[in-house]
Amino acid sequence: MSVLVYTESDQGTFKKGALEVASYAKAVANQLGTTVTAVAINANDTSKLGNYGVDKVLNISKDALQSFNAKLYADTLKQSAEKEGAQIIILSSSADSKYLAPLLAVGLNAGYASNVIETPSSTSPLTVKRNAFTNKAFETTQINTDVKIIGVSSNAFGLVETSGNASEENFEPSIAESNITVESVDKVTDKVTIADADIVVSGGRGLKGPENWGMIEELANILGAATACSKPVSDLGWRPHGEHVGQTGKPVASNLYIAIGISGAIQHLAGVSASKVKVVINTDSEAPFFKAADYGVVGDAFTVVPQLIDKLKAFKAQE
Ligand code: FAD
């Protein structure tokens, strides 16, 4: 019995979340005294998985799986789990994994706990802690089925590097013909996505207008960060809707979230509070965001952000 982990890739390259769930799977496997098998679908180079605790890689190369299709991916994972006799299957909290997990659960007659934030407190019965209500509450869940699926919340566990080597086995699942064929996928941007970003730089209505986003973009570029915004900013058309974060927008669970000219309304905080470190830049010392912040700068964004950019550039030049 091994722990099976689905290591997602994007155009052949493993996502950060894949390495996090591999690290998490290793911790669970250690609790159970077993090994980790990763399922890698159309990945270019699987060798790095060994550095995140994976003992064996099931390498699947198939044209039919070139684009994500929840049904086909769930079938593939089901066959992989059955082949390995896996009783615990670990997935990330990406949109794709959340889409396929219930299908996989039905296929394997398994219990599925999503948004899990810690390794199991008990392995018999398997008991996990999950976040609920956009991080405002936690719940403890037991999974009592034979096969168990755990969806790990982004950035809840982090990356744990080891010096291991993973063995590799090619696996050919039998895939039914799909009714849907994706002809092509055109990425809108090559920028870091909010879901994958370690750092997110986010701007609010305090930035006055779209013409002032140059400094937000520049700060994000220097930090290798994704850009985000508050809801009114996207509603006003200052920024694309894909950047809207919060309760009704994308959730953010980055290591660092920098909020510039954002008041910190409850609906905004609901979506970003899972971030580890929150830095707030705001002219109003009474802005609610300061209560949720780890670091705060009371100041004008148009003065503070250019200074921050200059400091970071000087720091990078010394490296
Ligand atoms: P404002 O509230 O206008 O705040 C601007 C801030 O900028 C102020 O704190 C001000 O002090 C500061 N500021 C001004 N000038 C400067 C300067 N020069 N330098 C630095 N700071 C400056 N909002 C979201 O963001 N995400 C959501 O998902 C979301 N969902 C919602 C769902 C519902 C059902 C409802 C009712 C609302 C939702 N909202 C959401 C809206 C939310 O309630 C707030 O209205 C919104 O978050 C405010 O955006 P803001 O902070 O950019 O703007």
Side-chain angles (χ1 to χ4, degrees):
M1 196 257 294
S2 68
V3 170
L4 194 85
V5 60
Y6 169 41
T7 45
E8 267 178 79
S9 52
D10 180 19
Q11 294 178 344
T13 305
F14 288 115
K15 295 182 178 180
K16 190 187 123 209
L19 306 179
E20 181 174 26
V21 285
S23 306
Y24 180 94
K26 186 62 175 179
V28 176
N30 285 342
Q31 283 180 305
L32 294 163
T34 184
T35 54
V36 176
T37 300
V39 180
I41 301 175
N42 292 328
N44 293 336
D45 176 13
T46 56
S47 60
K48 77 195 293 192
L49 291 178
N51 296 332
Y52 294 90
V54 171
D55 299 289
K56 173 180 169 186
V57 181
L58 280 188
N59 205 356
I60 298 169
S61 288
K62 248 187 150 20
D63 283 348
L65 300 172
Q66 214 50 262
S67 298
F68 178 75
N69 175 312
K71 170 90 179 59
L72 300 189
Y73 272 52
D75 277 355
T76 301
L77 290 181
K78 176 175 181 283
Q79 290 174 48
S80 305
E82 286 169 346
K83 175 182 158 0
E84 294 296 303
Q87 282 184 314
I88 298 190
I89 300 156
I90 296 175
L91 309 170
S92 78
S93 284
S94 71
D96 287 356
S97 282
K98 280 190 161 168
Y99 189 3
L100 72 80
L103 297 172
L104 181 60
V106 170
L108 290 170
N109 206 11
Y112 166 46
S114 59
N115 297 330
V116 171
I117 54 168
E118 287 175 2
T119 48
S121 56
S122 157
T123 52
S124 182
L126 191 91
T127 310
V128 286
K129 186 173 176 184
R130 314 162 64 196
N131 65 32
F133 303 115
T134 50
N135 289 306
K136 286 199 273 305
F138 299 104
E139 68 178 52
T140 303
T141 301
Q142 278 182 12
I143 314 179
N144 296 316
T145 44
D146 288 345
V147 180
K148 301 150 180 73
I149 303 177
I150 298 177
V152 183
S153 208
S154 302
N155 281 325
F157 190 73
L159 305 182
V160 181
E161 278 202 68
T162 65
S163 55
N165 264 324
S167 64
E168 202 166 308
E169 180 184 329
N170 292 332
F171 178 50
E172 176 89 17
S174 64
I175 300 289
E177 279 288 305
S178 171
N179 293 336
I180 300 170
T181 317
V182 178
E183 294 286 320
S184 67
V185 177
D186 296 322
K187 278 201 159 189
V188 178
T189 165
D190 278 336
K191 284 198 316 189
V192 193
T193 63
I194 292 171
D196 278 337
D198 258 338
I199 306 176
V200 174
V201 179
S202 190
R205 204 152 44 181
L207 290 171
K208 321 287 186 223
E211 66 282 4
N212 294 324
W213 244 262
M215 63 181 184
I216 301 293
E217 297 270 6
E218 193 176 358
L219 180 58
N221 275 340
I222 294 170
L223 293 170
T227 48
C229 68
S230 65
K231 182 173 185 295
V233 164
S234 64
D235 286 349
L236 287 161
W238 296 358
R239 296 297 289 177
H241 279 289
E243 288 197 1
H244 158 200
V245 294
Q247 184 184 321
T248 49
K250 288 198 172 124
V252 181
S254 54
N255 281 324
L256 174 62
Y257 182 73
I258 306 178
I260 304 168
I262 300 177
S263 57
I266 190 157
Q267 298 88 355
H268 186 88
L269 293 179
V272 305
S273 58
S275 294
K276 289 230 164 81
V277 176
K278 293 173 272 295
V279 176
V280 171
I281 302 170
N282 198 304
T283 41
D284 177 7
S285 62
E286 299 295 314
F289 218 143
F290 282 117
K291 290 205 176 74
D294 299 282
Y295 300 93
V297 181
V298 179
D300 187 334
F302 298 97
T303 313
V304 176
V305 175
Q307 284 180 5
L308 187 56
I309 289 171
D310 286 346
K311 287 275 179 210
L312 285 167
K313 278 185 178 163
F315 180 72
K316 290 232 156 181
Q318 283 168 12
E319 280 183 341

